[in-house]
Amino acid sequence: MTLSAFDFESLARVNSAVLSHLCRIRQTPEDFKVEEKLPFEPAGSGPHVMLQITKTDTNTDWLAKQLAQFAGVEEVAIGYAGLKDRHAVTTQWFSVNTEGVAEPDWSAFESDLIKINLITRHNKKLKRGALSGNSFKLNLEVLDGDRDSWESALSQIQKQGVPNYFGEQRFGYQMGNLHGVEQWFEQGRKPKSRNKKSLYLSAARSWLFNLVVSERVKAQNWNQFIPGDVMQLNGNHSCFQSENDDTELFERLKTFDIHPTGALAGQGELQSHDECKQLETAVLDAWQAWVQGLSRQGLKQERRALRLVPTEFNWQWHNSRLQLTFFLPSGCFATAVLRELAVVEDSSERIIQADRESV
């Protein structure tokens, strides 16, 4: 793979049979529903109004700006935990610091596309990333593939999880964020805006991680211990090194109590050793300009689980339509689950393309 060929489809799949499965998603926003889960209960009092909002076909940033304007506060007074898909029905929390202003009638903010489900208060602004995860309810139109083969793929995901790839949306429209990284780290054309700089750094680390995951999938050890692996406890970011593939380690891997990890590139030496370090080094050596660029920007070496295990994973058939429900931890992508199920045609991409052509 060359620096100018950012082909997401080239990333290895565990189940090659899914290449014969074809489906379409997001023909309507209602086909892609997401509900975020907070890791805490709002305090019930404090200067920040907490709003749980269900939005349809609406951009999160745009909605945050509208909230600020409606409440008569600066945009910095608005908090939210994460960006959510525009072409979807998404339920998420926003905080609004109303200190010094009269609290508005929130019901007047509602519209056909915006519904306020809950109103409470909290003592802190809602910070980015303050999520335990997201629940998904997806409707897929199955276009091709034997039903038994689909069932086999669904059961495989349920039993062993999927590679924990960063989703394609992390890299921007037509992988534009990665081309921006290439111009920055390869050609010295630094992005002017702080926001683009942040997007490019995130995209660069995510792409390098995906390449490491892909190599582990090809080696068929993405969900197994190899010498020198760094393991991560399920449900948090605590990592530890293990020297031996002993019975206890095997059982903990089998029960999803721990997961192997891959490198998130940055300053310092890789935390892995032996065979694992050799694999990661072989992948990253071809991208040294990117590794050095990330290091110069002050990013530290970190680890991310190679394996993603959807919980509450269930499915129902409705003739040619398949409904999936599952929960994913914060920072994980539903598209990583879908790519181990089928080749996916996303109807929202046609809408995005039409919007761009109309500008």
Side-chain angles (χ1 to χ4, degrees), residues 263-314:
L264 290 169
Q267 293 177 346
E269 292 291 322
L270 288 168
Q271 298 173 27
S272 55
H273 298 283
D274 301 328
E275 183 180 338
C276 182
K277 184 174 183 178
Q278 290 174 14
L279 182 147
E280 293 180 345
T281 299
V283 172
L284 298 177
D285 273 352
W287 299 79
Q288 275 306 297
W290 288 40
V291 174
Q292 293 168 13
L294 291 167
S295 181
R296 284 195 300 270
Q297 294 305 311
L299 279 77
K300 308 293 186 184
Q301 282 280 343
E302 294 181 293
R303 307 294 294 185
R304 173 179 166 93
L306 297 173
R307 178 171 61 178
L308 167 61
V309 182
T311 56
E312 304 167 29
F313 187 80
N314 293 288

Side-chain angles (χ1 to χ4, degrees), residues 14 214-224 226:
V14 174
S214 186
E215 285 302 307
R216 293 285 294 256
V217 173
K218 291 176 187 176
Q220 299 182 1
N221 59 27
W222 62 281
N223 58 355
Q224 301 172 17
I226 63 174

Side-chain angles (χ1 to χ4, degrees), residues 54-299:
T54 296
K55 62 182 184 62
T56 301
D57 203 21
T58 302
N59 179 278
T60 299
D61 275 336
W62 179 87
L63 181 54
K65 291 181 174 120
Q66 297 304 304
L67 274 173
Q69 184 177 351
F70 178 79
V73 298
E74 298 293 328
E75 289 181 20
V76 71
I78 308 297
Y80 55 86
L83 296 171
K84 292 288 180 289
D85 299 80
R86 173 186 169 184
H87 301 290
V89 177
T90 63
T91 300
Q92 65 186 116
W93 286 90
F94 292 82
S95 67
V96 184
N97 189 342
T98 56
E99 287 181 294
V101 299
E103 185 173 349
D105 175 8
W106 295 109
S107 65
F109 185 73
E110 295 186 299
S111 69
D112 290 342
L113 300 180
I114 299 169
K115 301 297 180 185
I116 298 177
N117 306 316
L118 294 171
I119 304 173
T120 184
R121 283 189 169 270
H122 195 52
N123 49 17
K124 295 179 182 178
K125 178 180 179 179
L126 188 56
K127 298 291 187 181
R128 293 291 290 270
L131 283 178
S132 60
N134 298 284
S135 290
F136 293 86
K137 185 176 183 180
L138 311 182
N139 291 319
L140 284 61
E141 182 185 2
V142 176
L143 303 175
D144 199 8
D146 177 75
R147 176 71 69 91
D148 288 341
S149 182
W150 274 85
E151 284 286 336
S152 177
L154 288 160
S155 296
Q156 186 168 316
I157 292 171
Q158 189 177 56
K159 291 175 182 176
Q160 71 174 28
V162 299
N164 193 19
Y165 287 118
F166 285 99
E168 201 166 359
Q169 59 266 48
R170 173 62 61 96
F171 309 112
Y173 179 69
Q174 295 185 341
M175 311 299 268
N177 292 343
L178 294 179
H179 291 292
V181 175
E182 187 176 40
Q183 292 174 357
W184 182 6
F185 291 161
E186 294 290 319
Q187 303 171 20
R189 295 167 58 183
K190 184 177 180 179
K192 294 181 179 179
S193 78
R194 182 178 179 181
N195 183 53
K196 276 196 172 182
K197 178 181 176 182
S198 177
L199 286 173
Y200 291 172
L201 292 174
S202 176
R205 280 224 296 184
S206 299
W207 182 248
L208 297 183
F209 174 82
N210 278 1
L211 296 180
V212 170
V213 178
S214 186
E215 285 302 307
R216 293 285 294 256
V217 173
K218 291 176 187 176
Q220 299 182 1
N221 59 27
W222 62 281
N223 58 355
Q224 301 172 17
F225 171 86
I226 63 174
D229 248 328
V230 179
M231 312 305 289
Q232 186 177 87
L233 295 175
N234 187 53
N236 62 48
H237 299 293
S238 297
C239 293
F240 65 94
Q241 293 180 350
S242 182
E243 300 298 330
N244 300 303
D245 184 8
D246 56 26
T247 302
E248 181 185 359
L249 185 70
F250 176 81
E251 287 299 320
R252 295 182 73 185
L253 277 167
K254 186 178 178 180
T255 58
F256 307 132
D257 181 49
I258 57 175
H259 307 285
T261 65
L264 290 169
Q267 293 177 346
E269 292 291 322
L270 288 168
Q271 298 173 27
S272 55
H273 298 283
D274 301 328
E275 183 180 338
C276 182
K277 184 174 183 178
Q278 290 174 14
L279 182 147
E280 293 180 345
T281 299
V283 172
L284 298 177
D285 273 352
W287 299 79
Q288 275 306 297
W290 288 40
V291 174
Q292 293 168 13
L294 291 167
S295 181
R296 284 195 300 270
Q297 294 305 311
L299 279 77

